[in-house]
Amino acid sequence: MVTIKDVAGAAGVSIATVSRALADPDRVAAATRDRVLAAADALGYTPNRAARGLRAGRTNAIGLLVPDLTNPYFAVVARGVSQRARSHGVAVFVADSEEDPAAEVDLLRGLVGQTDGVLLCSPRALIRDTDVLGAHPAVFVNHALDAAPSVALDDVAGAVAALEHLRSLGHRSIAYVAGPTTSWSDARRRDALQAVAERHPELEIHVLGPYPPTVEGGSAAAGVVIASGATAALAFNDTVAVGLMRRVIALGLRVPHDLSVAGFDDTYLTTLVTPALTSVHGDVTEVGRRATDLLLDRIERPDAPGELVLLPSWLVQRDSTAPPLSRLVPAPTTSPAPAEPTPGAP
Amino acid sequence: MVTIKDVAGAAGVSIATVSRALADPDRVAAATRDRVLAAADALGYTPNRAARGLRAGRTNAIGLLVPDLTNPYFAVVARGVSQRARSHGVAVFVADSEEDPAAEVDLLRGLVGQTDGVLLCSPRALIRDTDVLGAHPAVFVNHALDAAPSVALDDVAGAVAALEHLRSLGHRSIAYVAGPTTSWSDARRRDALQAVAERHPELEIHVLGPYPPTVEGGSAAAGVVIASGATAALAFNDTVAVGLMRRVIALGLRVPHDLSVAGFDDTYLTTLVTPALTSVHGDVTEVGRRATDLLLDRIERPDAPGELVLLPSWLVQRDSTAPPLSRLVPAPTTSPAPAEPTPGAP
DNA sequence: CTGAAAGCGCTAACAC
DNA sequence: GTGTTAGCGCTTTCAG
């Protein structure tokens, strides 16, 4: 390993001068600076971040904790985080709890010790436990906690839009396939659905679950959704929606004719499946970027007030939602008038 | 931050004793050890990894470089890496190059400086450049380079199996939708297909591409595949296969009747799409785990000889492959002994 | 069995 | 403008 000493020796200066030449080139004479930089370059010198961090009380790294890296949603968040972190010169530790709350706490504990701050994405464990987080800078994604900074998609608006969409199609009995009990987003959505239902007494909302936020979770919910008598289902996320849809189809029903299905997150899965999935869209990469910004800011100014940043979300209508079978005339839709799909034979 | 000094103070011992009590409990008196551990626990002490690493000349972290974290394949590799790394107490830096070779080199450079070793997954850049890697321990995934240790799925076997499967179904004109030019796996597969084609003179293989290893890449290939006259297509990976399939269907053709489609990697996408995708399966989580093992070993013993670990892969038949339209009688599928199919119309 | 002390690579006072 | 030096938190001789 080539250290600052080697460079100093090669350039014939002291290590302090090397350090300065690299950190603040204006504070050394031009000739010296050039000599130092040339030497550093020739030797392929890279400052040891651990040593630098030790001195500065910084690690120049942040941690990202997600419940499931194979879920496209979190992969995209991670991408946003990587982008922003890279442009700020900080590295990203990624930890995948695989939906296990206990593992989440363990991983968080590890992350805290070796990062300047942590990004907690859709935490499944109850993180009230300040013992593990302490005063460590943290930003939550899809989870608001006390005065901690948070970033989330405004899924309340999305949930309302989805429900209104289904209502306008003529659905009156709608199932919500809930995600993990500890999910903040899930709770928010349930409240939002409740509020809409109160505004429209003719609507009947069946909250079903909780189910695991996976394809399997969606499949598992199919029977219960059908038994509920709902003509449309809104699922916790796209992954669940896809699992639900596939199982419903496997059971011999048709989507959207027998059951309309909509998801959340608008991941790229939506356009891969048949029928294409109606979903609540948001800019997920941006969620990752904003969360990173907030975290880096928090690291600089630990006493800054926490805020909840809500990014817009809206519904993207595709082929998995349509009027219920009983209605022959489609309800009036405002602008993007979708052509009424003629129910063809299979 | 609670340091070793705090613990030493609380336990009424020196910092050296604390260090020993934690690292090698047998070397301190039982009573002292208990007192130290109790104090450490009470204070919530976690050793600072940067400091520890500085002393040991180690960072206790490894780097993982992938071309696309949103591809389920790499997400699963990352999961395997996380699992194994966690059980060895090393942290994982994840870097996503977003399929950009230049970014890849940059990210690699950054990773080298702050890790004990690097896992290079399906590198798109030419890494011969030892300037950037130097003597840094590295393990390749899906890429063999000189004497470096490597882990890959035996996709040659998989490619052969896929091609034989299509041949036994009666296909004679088969397209291969190639991935990135610099992909090692892609080159291996092309060679394997070539070898099979030479064994079976009646087979015509159209190598098409390169195309980006994404859904869009697959869609873009659809026209060319159809124009090639092939009755079956093998795609670089599932993502490409899915893009191809959807576009082909959107163009009004039927899969598998007008075109059979098969992919590689057997990601969870295969069972989400309609028809379910035939794909070459391998244990991808295990790839990540084995690669991590190899890397940790390499870090311990830098002079150990490199080896290429090939994990088995095999074909999983689903609904996206079937005899070509021209054949009315399906070829026998049970025994792997394909009866010579009656030649169909071109 | 335990403490004192050196030193990992680096930065930031503080001299000169 | 540049060198000297202390010390970040930790492990590891070396004494006792």
Side-chain angles (χ1 to χ4, degrees):
Chain A
M1 174 183 259
V2 38
T3 77
I4 199 172
K5 275 188 189 165
D6 302 322
V7 179
V13 295
S14 75
I15 61 167
T17 302
V18 175
S19 179
R20 273 190 290 257
L22 264 40
D24 193 357
D26 297 335
R27 285 186 34 206
V28 305
T32 322
R33 179 189 349 126
D34 293 347
R35 204 146 33 92
V36 169
L37 294 181
D41 202 46
L43 272 58
Y45 169 71
T46 321
N48 180 319
R49 294 177 80 124
R52 175 181 288 185
L54 187 55
R55 187 68 240 275
R58 282 280 179 83
T59 63
N60 296 310
I62 60 175
L64 171 64
L65 184 54
V66 298
D68 180 7
L69 201 51
T70 66
N71 181 324
Y73 179 85
F74 296 114
V76 173
V77 171
R79 167 162 287 179
V81 171
S82 300
Q83 290 174 350
R84 195 50 59 96
R86 185 178 166 212
S87 75
H88 284 264
V90 319
V92 182
F93 281 113
V94 176
D96 177 355
S97 71
E98 303 189 27
E99 295 282 354
D100 175 357
E104 195 171 81
V105 174
D106 275 0
L107 289 167
L108 178 56
R109 206 186 306 275
L111 246 26
V112 164
Q114 56 197 307
T115 57
D116 297 332
V118 174
L119 243 31
L120 291 160
C121 239
S122 305
R124 308 298 190 207
L126 294 170
I127 311 280
R128 319 212 147 276
D129 200 340
T130 45
D131 286 348
V132 47
L133 207 46
H136 204 64
V139 169
F140 289 84
V141 174
N142 294 337
H143 192 98
L145 177 63
D146 306 335
S150 315
V151 180
L153 291 173
D154 185 8
D155 46 9
V156 162
V160 170
L163 196 52
E164 292 286 7
H165 163 65
L166 293 172
R167 193 185 78 89
S168 77
L169 287 173
H171 294 278
R172 293 296 173 262
S173 176
I174 300 172
Y176 175 66
V177 180
T181 334
T182 51
S183 164
W184 179 81
S185 303
D186 194 67
R188 283 191 97 214
R189 288 175 201 168
R190 285 199 309 266
D191 288 348
L193 297 180
Q194 198 55 46
V196 175
E198 279 168 18
R199 221 166 33 238
H200 300 295
E202 77 276 19
L203 283 185
E204 198 180 348
I205 308 282
H206 311 270
V207 175
L208 309 177
Y211 289 95
T214 59
V215 174
E216 291 71 31
S219 302
V224 179
V225 169
I226 293 168
S228 78
T231 58
L234 198 53
F236 174 65
N237 66 21
D238 287 345
T239 312
V240 172
V242 166
L244 170 63
M245 202 163 80
R246 293 214 56 80
R247 183 86 187 111
V248 164
I249 291 172
L251 290 173
L253 299 181
R254 292 167 307 163
V255 174
H257 310 298
D258 298 313
L259 183 76
S260 284
V261 176
F264 276 87
D265 300 345
D266 196 26
T267 58
Y268 70 94
L269 297 181
T270 55
T271 57
L272 298 187
V273 294
T274 314
L277 188 69
T278 293
S279 185
V280 173
H281 177 94
D283 187 342
V284 182
T285 314
E286 183 64 14
V287 168
R289 284 192 287 244
R290 290 293 286 276
T292 308
D293 285 341
L294 241 49
L295 181 60
L296 295 177
D297 185 68
R298 188 72 165 196
I299 292 168
E300 293 299 329
R301 307 181 295 118
D303 301 321
E307 54 174 326
L308 170 60
V309 175
L310 278 183
L311 265 36
S313 86
W314 59 90
L315 188 71
V316 177
Q317 299 176 213
R318 296 203 180 84
D319 308 329
S320 65
T321 49
L325 201 55
S326 53
R327 288 182 58 89
L328 297 180
V329 184
T333 46
T334 37
S335 46
E340 170 64 1
T342 30
Chain B
M1 173 184 259
V2 37
T3 77
I4 200 171
K5 276 186 189 165
D6 302 321
V7 179
V13 295
S14 74
I15 61 167
T17 302
V18 175
S19 178
R20 273 190 290 258
L22 263 42
D24 193 357
D26 296 334
R27 283 186 36 206
V28 305
T32 320
R33 183 197 334 132
D34 293 346
R35 204 147 30 93
V36 169
L37 295 180
D41 202 46
L43 272 58
Y45 169 70
T46 321
N48 180 318
R49 296 177 80 127
R52 175 181 289 189
L54 186 55
R55 189 67 237 276
R58 282 280 180 81
T59 63
N60 296 311
I62 60 174
L64 172 64
L65 184 55
V66 297
D68 179 7
L69 202 52
T70 66
N71 181 324
Y73 180 85
F74 296 115
V76 173
V77 172
R79 166 161 288 180
V81 172
S82 300
Q83 290 174 350
R84 195 50 59 97
R86 187 178 164 211
S87 74
H88 284 265
V90 320
V92 181
F93 281 113
V94 176
D96 177 356
S97 70
E98 302 190 26
E99 296 283 354
D100 176 357
E104 194 171 80
V105 174
D106 275 0
L107 289 167
L108 179 56
R109 208 186 305 275
L111 246 26
V112 165
Q114 58 197 306
T115 57
D116 298 331
V118 174
L119 244 30
L120 292 161
C121 241
S122 306
R124 308 298 190 207
L126 294 170
I127 310 283
R128 318 212 146 278
D129 200 340
T130 45
D131 286 349
V132 47
L133 206 46
H136 205 64
V139 169
F140 289 84
V141 174
N142 294 336
H143 192 98
L145 178 62
D146 306 336
S150 315
V151 179
L153 290 173
D154 184 9
D155 46 9
V156 162
V160 170
L163 197 51
E164 292 286 6
H165 164 64
L166 293 173
R167 192 184 80 88
S168 77
L169 286 173
H171 294 278
R172 293 296 172 264
S173 176
I174 300 171
Y176 175 65
V177 181
T181 335
T182 51
S183 164
W184 179 80
S185 304
D186 195 68
R188 283 190 97 213
R189 288 174 200 170
R190 285 199 310 266
D191 290 348
L193 298 180
Q194 198 54 46
V196 175
E198 279 167 17
R199 222 166 31 238
H200 300 295
E202 77 276 17
L203 283 185
E204 198 180 347
I205 308 283
H206 311 269
V207 175
L208 309 177
Y211 288 94
T214 58
V215 173
E216 291 71 32
S219 302
V224 180
V225 169
I226 293 169
S228 76
T231 58
L234 198 53
F236 175 66
N237 65 22
D238 287 346
T239 313
V240 172
V242 165
L244 170 63
M245 202 163 81
R246 293 215 54 80
R247 182 87 187 112
V248 165
I249 292 171
L251 290 173
L253 299 180
R254 292 166 307 163
V255 174
H257 310 297
D258 298 314
L259 183 75
S260 284
V261 176
F264 276 87
D265 299 346
D266 195 26
T267 58
Y268 72 94
L269 297 182
T270 54
T271 56
L272 298 186
V273 293
T274 313
L277 187 68
T278 292
S279 185
V280 173
H281 177 92
D283 186 342
V284 181
T285 314
E286 183 64 14
V287 168
R289 285 192 285 244
R290 290 292 286 274
T292 308
D293 285 340
L294 242 49
L295 181 59
L296 295 177
D297 185 69
R298 189 73 166 197
I299 292 169
E300 293 300 329
R301 307 182 295 117
D303 300 321
E307 53 174 327
L308 169 60
V309 175
L310 278 183
L311 265 35
S313 86
W314 59 90
L315 188 71
V316 176
Q317 298 177 213
R318 296 202 181 83
D319 307 329
S320 66
T321 48
L325 198 57
S326 51
R327 287 181 58 89
L328 297 180
V329 184
T333 46
T334 36
S335 90
E340 176 57 8
T342 35

